Structure formats: structure tokens, C-alpha cells
Amino acid sequence: INPPCESGVSFELKTVVAIEPHKNTQLSGLYQSNDMMVTQCEAEGFRRITYFQDRPDVMATYDVRVEADKKQYPVLLSNGNAIDSGECTEEGRHWATFSDPFPKPSYLFALVAGDLGNVEGTFTTMSGREIKLLVWSEHENVDQLDWAMQSLRDSMKWDEETYGREYDLDVYNIVAVNDFNMGAMENKGLNIFNTAAVLAKPSTATDRDYERVQGVVGHEYFHN
């Protein structure tokens, strides 16, 4: 790589990579969890996806296009606001684009693709903006997502009332994953959780389980 030597000169670098996430057993970078594709980039997972200056002091904005088989991966998610989506020219495939306007280190990049169910809600900020809230998991887990949604709303409200901090994107996603190498990850606008830190319902969860979900959801939100 030979970028321009002159100070202040911008240039465009294009890279093309081929990876095999279904063979990735490290739970780092892009990997397969059951029938879902998911990322974990902290601390050095992004370099397993593509070339990058994968250091926390290298901050960049991200515009992402995700393309996949629509039947196998009907839900496509990435950081930032959803910009557009549509059908590909190749039959059976679809795409979605996302834009995160806030510079972040590469370890906060996130992408999820799969057949997922969700609970959906909204939160109105102190300036009157309506934020779309979604908590995702496999369809059989959807009846255990309501408490995580309530915990997210409570965290957003507490942060505003206590510190005057208002969430800055238009959407906030939480995705619960069975195969995850930590409790949760604070990727900007697309938190990825171990299911153990999200799922709770009265018939199976204890008070301690509810407290854990509330604490972890709040902790990851405050990173955002």
C-alpha cells in the first residue's frame, strides 16, 4: 500500500476479501451461530473480516451494505440508521444499507443476518425525537424479550434525567445470540448479547435473573 505522501491528500482504497464465517469457531470477527451470521469485533475481530487499521485510536464513520439470501437471512442489521433496502437483481436475494455518522473504532462495528423475531417499541427523547427500539432473538425466545425492552426504556430515561444525555441515532437494536464469548457487547446502535443476559419471563426467571438483565442492558446502553 502506497498512499500519497503529501500531507492532507485524500485517496480511496478498495479491498476485496473472501472469508468463511461458517468455519470460524473463534467467535471473533464474522461467524455463524446456529442459522445466524453475527460479529464480535472486540478486541481484534474486525481484522478477521477485512483489512483495517484495527486499533481503538483509529476512528471512522461507516456506511454498510449487507446482501444475503432472503429466505435464509430475512433480517439484516448493522450499526447506525437504516437507510434503504430492496431486492437484488439475482432472484432470492435482498439488501439493506446502514449509515452510522458518528466516528467509532472498528471494534464497535457490528453486523447480524438471520431469521429472527423481535419485540418493538419506541422512546421519545427529551427533545421530542422518537427512537425506534427493537430487541431480537430466535422466534422461540420472543416471549422472553419484554423485560429487556423495559430495561432499555428505563435506562434511556434515567440517562436523560440524571446526566441530560440524549440518544443520538434513530434506532436502537439489541440482538440475543446463543453462541457469544461474553455477556454483551456495546456496538453503537446494535448491541449483541448472550441470550443468558437478555431472556427472562416470570415462569422461568428468578429475581436475580431479572436484575442481571436490567443491569447488563443498562450497562451496554450507557456505552452508547
Side-chain angles (χ1 to χ4, degrees), residues 14-223:
K14 292 184 178 180
T15 63
V16 178
V17 300
I19 58 176
E20 297 180 300
H22 61 290
K23 295 182 179 179
N24 180 1
T25 60
Q26 301 299 308
L27 305 186
S28 175
L30 177 65
Y31 64 94
Q32 183 172 346
S33 173
N34 293 328
D35 295 325
M36 184 190 321
M37 292 293 178
V38 63
T39 58
Q40 169 56 27
C41 292
E42 189 182 34
E44 297 179 341
F46 194 77
R47 68 187 65 184
R48 297 173 62 90
I49 301 173
T50 188
Y51 168 81
F52 199 76
Q53 293 176 309
D54 190 12
R55 305 197 317 258
D57 61 328
V58 177
M59 309 280 278
T61 58
Y62 288 75
D63 295 306
V64 178
R65 175 185 166 107
V66 186
E67 181 180 320
D69 180 273
K70 188 173 183 178
K71 184 177 181 180
Q72 188 173 3
Y73 305 107
V75 175
L76 306 176
L77 301 171
S78 191
N79 305 87
N81 296 319
I83 302 302
D84 202 0
S85 61
E87 305 295 319
C88 297
T89 54
E90 182 181 346
E91 186 176 355
R93 295 181 67 81
H94 68 144
W95 58 269
T97 55
F98 304 86
S99 180
D100 184 355
F102 303 103
K104 63 176 179 283
S106 55
Y107 77 86
L108 291 177
F109 172 81
L111 183 150
V112 173
D115 184 5
L116 305 172
N118 69 60
V119 294
E120 184 174 334
T122 61
F123 178 82
T124 302
T125 69
M126 56 188 178
S127 68
R129 294 171 53 242
E130 185 171 275
I131 310 301
K132 187 176 183 179
L133 310 178
L134 299 115
V135 184
W136 304 83
S137 190
E138 282 89 358
H139 293 279
E140 62 269 22
N141 296 331
V142 169
D143 65 338
Q144 301 182 70
L145 300 178
D146 289 334
W147 178 241
M149 174 64 75
Q150 184 60 52
S151 298
L152 176 58
R153 286 198 188 97
D154 293 344
S155 299
M156 299 175 85
K157 185 174 186 292
W158 185 88
D159 208 22
E160 287 191 348
E161 293 178 346
T162 305
Y163 294 108
R165 297 180 60 86
E166 180 176 317
Y167 183 64
D168 47 14
L169 292 171
D170 299 331
V171 62
Y172 194 100
N173 289 286
I174 293 174
V175 179
V177 179
N178 286 321
D179 304 307
F180 200 61
N181 60 9
M182 55 183 69
M185 185 63 204
E186 69 269 17
N187 315 300
K188 177 71 175 180
L190 178 52
N191 292 178
I192 299 176
F193 281 54
N194 190 305
T195 50
V198 173
L199 305 183
K201 63 180 179 180
S203 60
T204 58
T206 65
D207 289 350
R208 188 178 295 275
D209 294 330
Y210 274 83
E211 289 176 358
R212 184 187 185 203
V213 172
Q214 183 183 54
V216 177
V217 169
H219 176 96
E220 304 307 334
Y221 172 73
F222 299 142
H223 278 292

